Amino acid sequence: MAILETVKVSFTYPDQLLPALNQVSFSVEPGEFIVICGPSGSGKSTLLRMVKQEIAPYGERSGEIFYNGKKLTEYEPVKIAKEIGMVFQDPENQIVMDRVFEELIFGLENIGMPTETMRTKLAEMVHFFGINHLLDKKIHLLSGGQKQIVNLASVLLMEPRILLLDEPTAQLDPVAAKDFLHMVKQMNDEFGITVLIVEHRLEEVFPLADRVFVFDHGSLKISGPPKDVIAKVWQEQYRPLFPYLPSTALLYLEHADNLQIADIPLTVKEGRKWASQLKTHQSDTSFKKQENYNEKQNPILQVKNIYFQYEKTGKKILQSLSLTINEGEWLTIVGANGTGKSTLLKVMAGLESPQRGKLIYNGKKYSKPISTDIAYLPQNPKLLFIQDTVRGELIETAQQFHLENYEEKINCLVELLGIQSILDRHPYDVSGGEMQKSALACVLLPQPKILLLDEPTKGLDPEMKVALGKWLKSMQSRGLTIVMVTHDIEFAARFSDRSAMMFQGEITVTTSTKDFFKGNAFYTTVVNRMTRDGNIPEVVTVEEAEEKWGSQKIKN
Amino acid sequence: MGFSENQKLKKQKYKNLLIAGLLILLAVLLIFVPLLVEEQYMLASILFMVCSFFPLMIKYEHKKVTSKELVLIAILGAIAAVSRVPFASIPSVQPTTFVIIMAGAVFGAESGFVVGALAAIVSNIFLGQGPWTPWQMYAWGMVGFAAGLLKNTWVMKSSVGRSIFGFITGFLFGWFMNLWVVLTLMNSFNWAQFIGFYTASFYFDLAHALSNVFFLLVFSQSWLKILKRFQKKYGLLTAYG
Amino acid sequence: MDNGFRSLHPFVIFLYYVLAIAMIMLYQHPFFLTFACLLLVIFNFALDQGKMLKKWVSMMIVLSLLFLILTPLTNHRGNHVLFYLFNSAITLEALIQGLLNALTLIAILTLTITFNYCMTADKFLFLFSKWMPKWSLLAMLSVRFVPLLNRRIVEIITVQKGKGLSVTSGPLKQRVKHGLLLVQVLLTWSLEDGIQTADSMSARAYGLQKRTKYTPYKLHMNDGFMILILTGLTGTGIFGWWLGDGVLTLTPFLEPTILYGREWVFFTIYVLIIGFPLIVEGKEAIQWQYWKR
């Protein structure tokens, strides 16, 4: 019997014309691992919230949801709250207590468990997760990844039968995301917990999935085993859903002659097996032609021998760091957590003053923010907004910088970004992508020469990422210089010109993005790991493959 | 809206006025009775405090509160405590009282009281608990409570009214806070010493009162708007007061 | 893990502070109060080498000086007139009264500092969670938000600097205005994100039934014994106060400051109560020495 079944579930938010969910029917067997994907606003989160009835949204609903054959509403509320657990996107915001220990037992206290039982359960869980060393720690001293693990453990302590996860790794760095997903998979494998996960890290979750549900515009478009779903999206040419396919599969679909569903690679291992059969039909020399990274060598911003630490006795964040940014380029800075990437960006923006070293912009030294020339977009755009409409924010920003005929400038920028429709809304009430665009509009209003971006793709869906990348590319062609700090190597590989690696407060390598990733053994894209050391030209992205392989008629 | 609805509103209004009247009376008594009944003044004032404070605490303790209400109150309490941070470089100016007044003015007397009392507990957890904690809880709690009671009256609706309210509460707050010293030394306290001590704190209280007025004049409109937006968003706390 | 005095059950710790405050307030005698201050300063040093004490020293000096000066100026009772200031008598009695006031305040404040050290927030909230579970949950939630909000406000201050919102430079009015604008950003941001916190609470069954509270502290035999000792000592102490011992009589006749006969007994009890944590710490230190051998 299905553990979860929905029958024609529809839902419409108040004051909305179109339903957020439209006649969604499916059933899930116990122990299944279901991946739910689709564009933002396609109803994925709404669906999870409908299943998790304590936080069901208000609005017009129809259809029924069954848990173990009985309607959800027929169960004792406490039982159902226990047995259907949910982990949310933001690791920080779902934490309620001050210390890890108290956070873990929060749910158990809510269901009225006596102290002794709590102790036993906790002892078990702590042992299984290996988080003994975290127990007495204050929450604010944990990393994002650790917080999310605590959130997962806290939900699992209530012994759920179904685990709902709403983009649980969107705010994590790749290493923490892997750890987290691994733990979810372990729960699924070893305890048979049914998992429904909304996720955008397709390369990571597709190999784990038993079935994939693809949502679009509130309805369940396609469902089935991952390879079938991929094949179907491809064959039926659901173009808007292409960004939702893992890049291993995309590469295969674009370049395989004889499409076999069973051969669609989901992992790098499978991908390499297929790629090893590929042969090039032209001579070696033609594709050895190095792509010439156009080094205009016109430095616009120079960081010279910077030292920085937050406190006198604290850790040194930046050490004798030097970096030159050339006019018109798009530079990516990558590196592990805590290597000082974000701090470097703040120093370049003039927001933090280094203890030693020089900052030179256009040949002039500076130590304070010059926002009219160097714009900075923080990781979380929320902290930029003061006014209660996007328009108000733009006007206020224009006045702050004493811009002349700003209305024209605002209109122009708004049109470029395509945010006309949200101008009179509260900046917090719009979608993540739109909020970021509004923030971009604000920082770009004084027409700066340089744009500094901190993790611009965090929390964006694949489609929005591509749109953002293309938009920034177009701004670059109008003369904007871009410096970006990111963990998203796929995004960096696809859009940026030059990449730098940060390690222990220093820049270690700086070279053209393509060479950068081809030179890295571990820190590189999935596509690169799939195609290196083969008989074919090594590529970094699907787009590069299209360009390079297409002209060389690669066949298998 | 029916007739009975109208009557209910009227009744509610009278009830609020009655409570407000009692509260002012209480505050006046609390300040001045100690001076009149010289022998038993501490006992008398503690009695007054207990009578007005604990019922409110216990009432909230037994109220059914949703998770959203709880989080909203907790955040407001934390904001009231953290709001000192940007003012670290500006001595004796801090917007905690302003935050509490705003909370009361939007979410009503009970919530205002809870935010005020909570702000005192929480900020003292980080700055140091002491014999002043209960007095601070009481003082800020009552500021929030009063702001909530007056939310539909001229006092909270006009900017002049709000400024007067902020000015008075600035002083009252300081006076209540000083009471911990009075209590500690109650065996020997006398009139003249009392006046002397309170004059010594006059400038601090004045700075507090003036900064309240400034904040209320410049920011109360935008804060009321923001808080009302969240009141709607959280879908709560509309029924009371 | 805590050791010594801090490892006792929070209730015992709390009881000590209540009783110690009572003792300090009752025994208004310079000799007693000086000793109390001395013991409490030692206790402070035993806990953290007096680091916290240093932070509070200025406030103590201001308050005690205030009363040292204020009391003789406002109180003119007593037979021993020292001199006249602006036509009013400054008496020895009033001067001693001022000294008593100052010493009491110093004793209370030094005691308070150790309270913050021994009675951590979670112990404090645990104590109240028995009687007021909702308030204590609310306080815990709020305490959880403080470091988060703190980090956010620092981030806001940094980023908004780029938009020209400075709190460190410019005219005062503008700085104050900017300061509150930053708090306003914090308010909007945090309330927006708070909805997720509330959801996460509901998702973990909050509000569906009566909560239990995890009890991390057990009342051991040792704790019971300590409660017995403390209440016994204080009972005797209060009896002594009722007899009029350990209180310096100022009016109508000034009593000599030197202790006599029975007062020494009550002084010993007073020292035992105020010095209770030191005795517990000392006992443990001696035991450790013994174990090491």
Side-chain angles (χ1 to χ4, degrees):
Chain A
M1 189 179 56
I3 190 165
L4 183 73
E5 196 181 353
T6 65
V7 180
K8 292 190 175 168
V9 170
S10 297
F11 181 81
T12 313
Y13 283 99
D15 311 323
Q16 294 285 313
L17 291 171
L18 293 172
L21 284 177
N22 193 6
Q23 305 270 325
V24 174
S25 302
F26 62 80
S27 79
V28 176
E29 295 302 313
E32 267 195 299
F33 194 111
I34 308 278
V35 169
I36 303 174
C37 60
S40 295
S42 60
K44 305 179 308 277
S45 294
T46 311
L47 175 73
L48 291 194
R49 280 167 181 268
M50 297 287 283
V51 176
K52 183 77 188 148
Q53 60 171 15
E54 298 82 36
I55 53 164
Y58 298 104
E60 202 181 306
R61 55 194 295 173
S62 65
E64 282 301 339
I65 302 172
F66 296 92
Y67 170 64
N68 276 333
K70 242 165 75 179
K71 282 183 191 169
L72 270 185
T73 43
E74 288 171 4
Y75 282 91
E76 183 81 7
V78 177
K79 182 182 161 67
I80 207 82
K82 247 183 77 165
E83 295 189 0
I84 303 180
M86 182 155 173
V87 177
F88 302 81
Q89 186 187 111
D90 192 301
E92 186 74 74
N93 287 334
Q94 38 184 324
I95 290 175
V96 179
M97 289 284 133
D98 186 33
R99 281 192 314 145
V100 173
F101 188 94
E102 272 136 17
E103 182 63 27
L104 288 173
I105 58 172
F106 178 75
L108 302 181
E109 290 180 328
N110 287 339
I111 55 174
M113 194 177 272
T115 296
E116 279 315 308
T117 329
M118 278 193 233
R119 280 192 80 84
T120 323
K121 295 229 181 280
L122 197 61
E124 252 188 286
M125 185 57 69
V126 163
H127 190 76
F128 186 83
F129 274 74
I131 49 174
N132 207 5
H133 60 292
L134 298 182
L135 266 193
D136 281 320
K137 279 212 174 154
K138 296 265 183 195
I139 287 290
H140 66 101
L141 300 174
L142 305 190
S143 70
Q146 285 173 324
K147 279 179 199 149
Q148 200 65 317
I149 297 272
V150 169
N151 288 326
L152 178 64
S154 163
V155 169
L156 287 172
L157 270 166
M158 298 178 79
E159 296 173 9
R161 302 310 310 145
I162 300 180
L163 188 58
L164 309 170
L165 302 118
D166 192 359
E167 296 186 39
T169 68
Q171 306 291 325
L172 307 185
D173 64 80
V175 180
K178 253 186 199 128
D179 285 348
F180 182 86
L181 291 172
H182 172 77
M183 218 157 248
V184 172
K185 182 62 183 164
Q186 201 180 1
M187 284 296 148
N188 175 253
D189 281 345
E190 295 181 20
F191 301 95
I193 296 176
T194 310
V195 174
L196 274 84
I197 181 169
V198 172
E199 186 54 74
H200 290 318
R201 287 181 198 269
L202 309 159
E203 281 85 3
E204 308 287 344
V205 289
F206 263 61
L208 309 178
D210 290 318
R211 280 195 292 156
V212 173
F213 291 175
V214 181
F215 274 77
D216 199 14
H217 291 102
S219 36
L220 179 55
K221 281 267 148 52
I222 308 164
S223 71
K227 292 187 183 183
D228 294 1
V229 167
I230 294 168
K232 203 158 183 197
V233 169
W234 183 257
Q235 280 158 355
E236 296 186 12
Q237 290 289 307
Y238 281 127
R239 279 247 156 233
L241 294 179
F242 280 6
Y244 294 86
L245 301 180
S247 49
T248 44
L250 267 179
L251 196 67
Y252 171 85
L253 292 168
E254 283 185 1
H255 298 280
D257 290 334
N258 179 10
L259 215 147
Q260 295 289 330
I261 290 178
D263 286 346
I264 296 177
L266 296 178
T267 61
V268 172
K269 192 173 158 186
E270 287 172 4
R272 286 183 68 88
K273 204 172 136 199
W274 162 72
S276 69
Q277 300 160 3
L278 294 176
K279 275 184 223 64
T280 172
H281 290 251
Q282 284 183 5
S283 65
D284 245 10
T285 47
S286 63
F287 71 76
K288 269 277 162 75
K289 181 190 77 178
Q290 269 294 332
E291 227 173 315
N292 266 334
Y293 161 60
N294 189 11
E295 292 193 45
K296 273 183 275 175
Q297 296 302 359
N298 184 11
I300 183 163
L301 196 155
Q302 282 168 293
V303 178
K304 284 192 172 165
N305 217 15
I306 291 280
Y307 284 80
F308 181 84
Q309 58 203 82
Y310 282 99
E311 280 149 33
K312 202 179 167 195
T313 51
K315 200 184 135 206
K316 283 200 174 64
I317 311 284
L318 304 177
Q319 286 191 62
S320 73
L321 185 145
S322 298
L323 182 66
T324 304
I325 288 134
N326 298 320
E327 195 169 359
E329 74 170 342
W330 181 337
L331 173 74
T332 299
I333 302 170
V334 296
N337 268 339
T339 43
K341 303 187 301 289
S342 295
T343 309
L344 173 61
L345 223 51
K346 280 184 194 145
V347 167
M348 292 200 306
L351 298 172
E352 301 279 6
S353 333
Q355 276 81 33
R356 274 205 276 162
K358 269 193 294 190
L359 292 163
I360 298 164
Y361 168 70
N362 259 347
K364 263 186 231 148
K365 264 174 73 171
Y366 71 99
S367 59
K368 282 203 172 102
I370 28 174
S371 310
T372 44
D373 289 59
I374 306 174
Y376 168 74
L377 184 68
Q379 206 179 97
N380 190 337
K382 276 184 191 158
L383 50 86
L384 274 180
F385 301 117
I386 293 177
Q387 303 297 321
D388 52 8
T389 59
V390 176
R391 189 194 304 276
E393 195 63 48
L394 284 165
I395 292 171
E396 197 248 12
T397 310
Q399 285 164 348
Q400 190 86 37
F401 292 122
H402 309 291
L403 298 182
E404 282 167 20
N405 45 19
Y406 58 76
E407 273 172 25
E408 203 175 300
K409 280 177 184 156
I410 290 175
N411 287 340
C412 174
L413 202 53
V414 161
E415 206 161 302
L416 266 176
L417 282 157
I419 50 169
Q420 297 91 331
S421 60
I422 58 161
L423 277 182
D424 291 313
R425 293 178 62 189
H426 196 286
Y428 283 19
D429 285 342
V430 301
S431 75
E434 287 165 338
M435 192 195 292
Q436 196 179 37
K437 281 183 188 167
S438 315
L440 268 174
C442 288
V443 297
L444 292 178
L445 197 55
Q447 297 175 323
K449 298 279 176 302
I450 304 177
L451 175 62
L452 308 172
L453 297 163
D454 195 354
E455 295 275 8
T457 59
K458 210 173 206 183
L460 296 189
D461 72 26
E463 208 182 341
M464 293 195 292
K465 273 187 208 177
V466 175
L468 175 72
K470 285 184 177 161
W471 191 81
L472 287 172
K473 233 24 209 180
S474 76
M475 288 309 284
Q476 194 193 352
S477 67
R478 291 162 174 244
L480 186 68
T481 308
I482 300 172
V483 181
M484 167 176 86
V485 154
T486 190
H487 280 300
D488 191 339
I489 46 182
E490 310 287 335
F491 183 79
R494 182 159 172 194
F495 292 106
S496 72
D497 306 319
R498 200 160 68 106
S499 293
M501 170 83 94
M502 245 184 119
F503 181 61
Q504 294 190 324
E506 275 181 275
I507 298 279
T508 53
V509 208
T510 2
T511 174
S512 88
T513 299
K514 301 264 148 66
D515 292 343
F516 177 83
F517 287 112
K518 282 172 192 164
N520 287 350
F522 298 101
Y523 208 82
T524 183
T525 60
V526 171
V527 169
N528 185 242
R529 279 181 277 152
M530 227 170 108
T531 59
R532 62 171 40 178
D533 318 319
N535 309 316
I536 39 158
E538 177 183 0
V539 289
V540 175
T541 59
V542 175
E543 291 70 30
E544 194 191 358
E546 205 167 326
E547 187 183 300
K548 268 193 179 172
W549 296 2
S551 63
Q552 287 159 38
K553 301 186 183 65
I554 284 176
K555 291 263 152 65
N556 56 336
Chain B
M1 197 191 279
F3 176 68
S4 61
E5 196 88 356
N6 237 333
Q7 211 166 29
K8 222 189 247 169
L9 262 177
K10 227 174 188 175
K11 227 175 172 179
Q12 182 76 32
K13 206 174 167 187
Y14 279 124
K15 217 165 105 193
N16 282 344
L17 276 178
L18 195 73
I19 300 174
L22 276 176
L23 205 83
I24 292 165
L25 192 72
L26 210 69
V28 171
L29 284 176
L30 197 51
I31 304 286
F32 295 105
V33 163
L35 311 173
L36 304 176
V37 198
E38 204 163 340
E39 277 305 297
Q40 300 298 327
Y41 58 61
M42 237 31 246
L43 201 73
S45 58
I46 288 175
L47 205 72
F48 277 126
M49 245 187 81
V50 169
C51 286
S52 54
F53 190 59
F54 282 95
L56 281 172
M57 288 209 58
I58 292 163
K59 191 176 164 226
Y60 192 74
E61 184 61 50
H62 293 288
K63 200 182 158 197
K64 199 160 167 53
V65 181
T66 64
S67 55
K68 280 186 178 162
E69 277 174 82
L70 212 58
V71 167
L72 181 81
I73 300 272
I75 290 180
L76 287 171
I79 292 225
V82 172
S83 60
R84 301 170 186 222
V85 175
F87 296 91
S89 61
I90 312 165
S92 46
V93 174
Q94 40 96 351
T96 310
T97 312
F98 166 76
V99 175
I100 293 163
I101 294 173
M102 287 293 106
V106 174
F107 301 117
E110 185 170 43
S111 304
F113 168 77
V114 178
V115 170
L118 189 66
I121 305 177
V122 173
S123 61
N124 284 338
I125 280 178
F126 293 90
L127 297 172
Q129 303 282 359
W132 48 83
T133 305
W135 303 96
Q136 208 171 359
M137 278 175 75
Y138 183 77
W140 268 336
M142 283 305 154
V143 168
F145 190 75
L149 282 182
L150 302 171
K151 73 182 259 210
N152 291 323
T153 64
W154 166 80
V155 181
M156 277 294 132
K157 295 241 159 188
S158 71
S159 81
V160 178
R162 283 194 293 260
S163 304
I164 294 171
F165 183 84
F167 191 79
I168 295 173
T169 49
F171 274 100
L172 279 181
F173 174 81
W175 293 351
F176 272 103
M177 276 288 283
N178 289 345
L179 281 177
W180 78 267
V181 176
V182 181
L183 177 76
T184 309
L185 305 176
M186 65 174 173
N187 289 323
S188 61
F189 232 70
N190 65 42
W191 242 109
Q193 207 177 5
F194 191 89
I195 301 287
F197 180 51
Y198 275 70
T199 341
S201 75
F202 178 79
Y203 288 101
F204 296 99
D205 298 335
L206 183 69
H208 184 197
L210 288 179
S211 59
N212 280 353
V213 172
F214 178 78
F215 287 138
L216 284 164
L217 276 178
V218 182
F219 285 101
S220 55
Q221 286 301 343
S222 59
W223 277 60
L224 288 174
K225 204 167 159 193
I226 291 170
L227 290 175
K228 279 184 180 146
R229 176 169 167 269
F230 281 108
Q231 184 176 33
K232 198 176 156 205
K233 215 163 179 175
Y234 277 64
L236 42 90
L237 303 172
T238 37
Y240 196 88
Chain C
M1 271 320 252
D2 291 344
N3 46 33
F5 180 63
R6 278 167 295 154
S7 68
L8 295 174
H9 190 275
F11 179 73
V12 183
I13 300 178
F14 192 70
L15 186 70
Y16 163 74
Y17 283 100
V18 172
L19 298 181
I21 286 189
M23 281 290 119
I24 290 169
M25 280 166 61
L26 292 181
Y27 279 75
Q28 292 288 311
H29 191 292
F31 193 71
F32 280 69
L33 280 169
T34 313
F35 251 86
C37 290
L38 213 66
L39 283 169
L40 290 170
V41 169
I42 296 173
F43 185 27
N44 258 301
F45 273 83
L47 286 174
D48 68 341
Q49 285 85 47
K51 271 181 214 140
M52 284 282 276
L53 191 64
K54 268 176 214 145
K55 283 186 198 160
W56 287 76
V57 139
S58 56
M59 180 186 170
M60 282 188 210
I61 292 175
V62 169
L63 257 183
S64 47
L65 272 182
L66 181 69
F67 278 92
L68 215 51
I69 298 164
L70 198 64
T71 316
L73 288 179
T74 55
N75 185 345
H76 306 293
R77 277 179 289 184
N79 307 325
H80 301 74
V81 176
L82 296 177
F83 55 89
Y84 284 88
L85 197 71
F86 307 119
N87 285 337
S88 55
I90 302 297
T91 64
L92 180 64
E93 284 85 347
L95 207 62
I96 293 174
Q97 184 62 59
L99 182 73
L100 285 176
N101 287 349
L103 281 173
T104 311
L105 285 174
I106 291 174
I108 295 271
L109 283 172
T110 30
L111 188 72
T112 298
I113 297 165
T114 67
F115 177 84
N116 282 297
Y117 203 90
C118 299
M119 201 70 173
T120 50
D122 42 319
K123 284 186 199 173
F124 184 71
L125 294 176
F126 162 73
L127 266 187
F128 289 95
S129 69
K130 291 264 171 200
W131 310 314
M132 305 207 143
K134 187 168 291 147
W135 277 92
S136 103
L137 177 67
L138 193 57
M140 275 170 127
L141 251 174
S142 209
V143 166
R144 177 261 175 285
F145 281 121
V146 170
L148 175 66
L149 264 52
N150 223 344
R151 209 179 58 213
R152 281 184 185 161
I153 191 86
V154 169
E155 224 178 308
I156 292 169
I157 292 172
T158 314
V159 169
Q160 290 286 352
K161 213 158 55 178
K163 281 174 84 180
L165 248 59
S166 165
V167 275
T168 47
S169 60
L172 180 70
K173 202 175 143 191
Q174 202 179 354
R175 279 161 64 197
V176 174
K177 208 172 150 183
H178 286 168
L180 203 68
L181 260 181
L182 299 174
V183 176
Q184 189 179 309
V185 175
L186 177 73
L187 175 86
T188 325
W189 179 6
S190 301
L191 285 181
E192 187 73 33
D193 282 14
I195 296 175
Q196 295 170 35
T197 314
D199 279 346
S200 146
M201 286 174 78
S202 302
R204 279 179 285 163
Y206 174 80
L208 294 180
Q209 67 167 78
K210 203 175 152 47
R211 261 171 76 82
T212 46
K213 180 82 188 84
Y214 180 84
T215 324
Y217 306 101
K218 276 194 206 127
L219 205 63
H220 296 289
M221 268 286 272
N222 188 38
D223 296 312
F225 184 59
M226 298 291 177
I227 293 174
L228 225 63
I229 291 181
L230 270 175
T231 42
L233 282 173
T234 315
T236 327
I238 290 175
F239 179 66
W241 170 77
W242 181 71
L243 288 176
D245 291 349
V247 182
L248 194 73
T249 319
L250 295 170
T251 47
F253 301 106
L254 184 62
E255 191 187 6
T257 339
I258 299 155
L259 300 190
Y260 62 92
R262 206 174 58 197
E263 268 187 328
W264 283 104
V265 177
F266 291 112
F267 177 70
T268 318
I269 286 168
Y270 182 82
V271 168
L272 286 177
I273 297 169
I274 305 284
F276 176 77
L278 279 174
I279 298 168
V280 177
E281 297 276 335
K283 195 181 126 220
E284 195 150 288
I286 291 166
Q287 269 170 349
W288 267 107
Q289 279 294 324
Y290 184 75
W291 273 108
K292 269 194 198 157
R293 277 188 226 157

